[in-house]
Each structure stands twice: as C-alpha cells, then as structure tokens.
Amino acid sequence: MILSIESSCDDSSIAITRISDFKVLFHKKISQEIEHSKYGGVVPELAARLHAKALPDILEQTKEFLPHLKAVCVTNEPGLSVSLVEGVCMAKALSIALNIPLLPINHLKGHIYSLFIQKQESFPLGVLLVSGGHTQVLHVKDYLHVKTLASTLDDSFGESFDKVSKMMGLGYPGGAIIENLAKNGDENRFDFTVPLLNSPKIAFSYSGLKNQVRLVIESFESLDEQTKCDIAASFQKVAVEHLLRKLKKLFKTHKFERFAVVGGASANLYLREKLEKLTCNLLCAPLEYCSDNAVMIGRAGIRAYEEKLFCDTNDIRVNPKTAF
Ligand code: KG4
Ligand code: ZN
C-alpha cells in the first residue's frame, strides 16, 4: 500500500491506495472553505495552521494500514509554500519512522491522474487543466513527459469564478456558486467581450473579463437576485467561450486522439457540455476527485513508485511555483 498526502492549498487530505490494483482503501479530506470564506479567498497562514491540526487528525485514522505501507508520497509542488510544508513534514516523518521510501509528487500530475483512479493509465492525451491556480493545455505523453502547449497570462479560469463571486458578495470558492446562479440567469443580458478575441496567440487571460464584470456590478446601486444570476450566466458563457475558441485554434495544429479536462473547475457541467461538443469522447475525472484530494496524488504516486522516483528525506524541497 501507498500513503498519499495533499496539502497544497486549502484541503487537508490523506489516502491509502493498494499498489497492485489501485484500489482506494482509505480517503479522508478536510476542507477549509468555511474558514476562508469570510475573506473571499485563501489566507495562507490560516491554511497552514488548519493543515497542522487536520493532517494529524486524519493520520490517526490510518493506524491499521501503517505496517503495510511500501512508500509515502506527498504533493511538494506547486502550491502555497506554507501549506505544502505541512504535508511534506508529515511525509518526511513517516518515511523516517516507518523506514519506507519518500516520493515527491507534482500536484498538476495528480490532477492528470485523477482520470485513472482505480484503473490503468492510458496515454497519450491532450489535457485541459482548469483549477484555482492553473489554466493550461498539456500534451501528456506519459508520466515523465508533459509538455505545456498553452497557459494563462494572468488569472486562472477557476480564480475568475472566485473573484466574480467575491465581487457580488457571495462566498468562496466561487466556482459552484456562480455555476448554480447561472442556471437561473439570462446569459445574453450582459455583453462581455471574449478575451484575446483578435489575438493570434494561443493563450488565456481572465483579468480583463473580471474587470468588465466589476464595471457592470459597480453600475448598480444594489444587485437584485435576478441580476446576480444574469451576471453569473453572462460571465460563465464568455469565460467558457474563451477556452473553446483557443482550443479550436490549437486543434488545427495539434491532433489529439483523446482529450481530457481535469482540475477543480472541471466539475463545471456547463463547461463539460460545451467541451463534449468540441471533442468527441471527452475524458473527465469522477466529480468527487476533480478538486484537490490525496487519492489522485496516491494514484500518481504509484506511477512514481514504479519509476523508483524516490527522494532522500534531506533532499525533498517545496517548490511553490513549479509547473512542469
Ligand atoms: O483543483 P482545485 O481544487 O484547486 C487548485 O488546484 O487550484 O480547484 C479549485 C478551483 C477554485 O477556483 C474553484 O472556484 C474552482 O476550482 N471550481 C469551479 C467549479 N468548482 C470548483 N470553477 C467553475 N465551476 C465549478 N463548478
Ligand atoms: Zn488542484
């Protein structure tokens, strides 16, 4: 068995996965959404303190598995440094105490492996990764070979939902809140411009769209419920259209036999529906494993274990900014 730890942002999560058949034997996640909600975003110091309490509480429940562990894996990049450190320290302690190898895992690879939970992996793949920290299109040849084809110039797709939610005085995280409001909204009431519409660049940008939304919000003295729904729907339509237009452009030069969408924002069903029309056979992770979790880290960790990508406990580093 392998024990995996995820603490890159505001979710404390530990999983135990059987190496031979990828079966998930234990998974617990404690989210900090309520604690961060009043600030409209993640407060790093608060996140670190909450991880320091939650991770040992979860670990306590894994005692029966500890004698059977072959390795421990942990997210060490990218993410909030003070949050990553909490998981990495726990993983180092377990590696030393149980005398088992330590495997550092890239969080974004974890999201890719959320496609293969309790199953065999299958590559090559084109992947759209949409989360709170990233908006990227990747060409994934296998675990070791991931090429970035496009990324955001500023805010990420998920982050833009969080910011629109915050500007309307709604909670954090904003993704599901905006998606739900949009269901009752008129997506044509506000005419937002699609970002980078006339640019030949295959890249993403969400800060301008966020500003357009801010100006509309500020033009009202107060927002009634229907207006909030209409803003959410009009924003979501353009945020997704931006992704689709750039993907269409990219598909002219890059042919993918199979295409997937992963990351916390891939839980958005409006986005999935639109992507399904663009690419046949869209692959998605199960909804419960789209947002940050230790199961996807464990699944990637099994691959790293097979590749023997072990790291000495003195050498493991936290890399807040690394992508691929
Ligand atoms: O992957 P994730 O859990 O954390 C990061 O690695 O960043 O993604 C969290 C992000 C948040 O910005 C959240 O608002 C967004 O994913 N998200 C959504 C939806 N559900 C979560 N964005 C749009 N629509 C959703 N339904
Ligand atoms: Zn994530």
Side-chain angles (χ1 to χ4, degrees):
M1 297 170 197
I2 193 164
L3 183 144
S4 50
I5 305 172
E6 158 63 36
S7 71
S8 65
C9 189
D10 58 345
D11 295 297
S12 315
S13 178
I14 296 180
I16 308 275
T17 310
R18 196 156 61 201
I19 295 171
S20 58
D21 60 358
F22 320 119
K23 190 171 165 50
V24 179
L25 304 173
F26 172 91
H27 175 222
K28 180 109 196 248
K29 163 164 142 172
I30 298 177
S31 294
Q32 309 171 354
E33 289 172 359
I34 296 169
E35 287 87 346
H36 294 292
S37 189
K38 56 175 173 269
Y39 304 104
V42 178
V43 180
E45 290 303 320
L46 176 60
R49 267 190 281 132
L50 293 169
H51 284 308
K53 166 85 178 77
L55 287 174
D57 285 352
I58 303 175
L59 186 68
E60 189 70 27
Q61 299 166 38
T62 65
K63 268 187 182 158
E64 62 175 294
F65 301 105
L66 299 189
H68 307 287
L69 295 183
K70 286 266 185 275
V72 54
C73 60
V74 62
T75 306
N76 74 319
E77 62 181 17
L80 294 173
S81 56
V82 289
S83 290
L84 289 164
V85 160
E86 295 298 328
V88 167
C89 284
M90 174 174 271
K92 280 171 74 166
L94 283 170
S95 170
I96 293 165
L98 302 172
N99 195 24
I100 51 173
L102 173 66
L103 296 151
I105 303 294
N106 179 300
H107 180 78
L108 309 180
K109 285 194 184 176
H111 276 302
I112 295 169
Y113 273 76
S114 67
L115 296 166
F116 307 124
I117 284 164
Q118 314 219 76
K119 48 175 149 155
Q120 292 286 348
E121 67 184 51
S122 165
F123 295 116
L125 269 185
V127 175
L128 171 66
L129 168 66
V130 273
S131 69
H134 294 82
T135 306
Q136 295 187 318
V137 187
L138 308 165
H139 180 249
V140 189
K141 227 170 117 191
D142 54 39
Y143 185 81
L144 295 172
H145 301 94
V146 182
K147 194 171 157 200
T148 306
L149 302 177
S151 35
T152 181
L153 304 173
D154 40 63
D155 292 353
S156 75
F157 180 79
E159 191 180 3
S160 69
F161 280 69
D162 295 335
K163 288 183 175 167
V164 168
S165 172
K166 187 178 178 181
M167 287 189 286
M168 290 202 280
L170 308 169
Y172 169 85
I177 296 171
I178 297 297
E179 183 184 5
N180 281 329
L181 279 183
K183 286 178 192 153
N184 300 315
D186 171 4
E187 63 177 24
N188 297 315
R189 175 162 168 203
F190 299 102
D191 194 15
F192 298 126
T193 310
V194 179
L196 305 179
L197 193 55
N198 298 315
S199 164
K201 238 189 201 162
I202 301 185
F204 306 104
S205 168
Y206 282 97
S207 67
L209 177 58
K210 175 189 70 186
N211 255 334
Q212 293 184 61
V213 176
R214 182 178 58 79
L215 291 174
V216 164
I217 292 171
E218 285 174 4
S219 71
F220 288 89
E221 234 166 65
S222 69
L223 298 172
D224 59 53
E225 283 313 303
Q226 190 55 52
T227 302
K228 285 183 190 168
C229 293
D230 295 345
I231 290 174
S234 306
F235 155 74
Q236 181 177 256
K237 182 183 93 170
V238 172
V240 169
E241 196 179 327
H242 176 38
L243 285 179
L244 297 176
R245 278 176 182 267
K246 292 298 178 188
L247 281 175
K248 245 187 224 169
K249 214 169 234 174
L250 186 80
F251 289 165
K252 284 188 184 146
T253 49
H254 289 76
K255 304 279 174 224
F256 299 109
E257 291 219 343
R258 294 171 331 129
F259 196 78
V261 62
V262 300
S266 71
N268 186 303
L269 298 182
Y270 175 87
L271 169 65
R272 285 187 179 201
E273 194 190 309
K274 297 284 177 186
L275 282 172
E276 265 156 12
K277 286 188 186 140
L278 188 71
T279 67
C280 33
N281 298 329
L282 178 73
L283 303 177
C284 304
L287 281 177
E288 61 178 313
Y289 297 124
C290 289
S291 61
D292 294 350
N293 65 84
V295 173
M296 67 185 196
I297 301 302
R299 182 61 191 86
I302 293 177
R303 189 78 199 102
Y305 178 78
E306 287 163 352
E307 296 280 347
K308 297 191 171 50
L309 300 172
F310 307 128
C311 182
D312 192 277
T313 48
N314 288 322
D315 294 337
I316 188 164
R317 294 281 172 272
V318 157
N319 304 313
K321 293 246 186 295
T322 318
F324 286 110

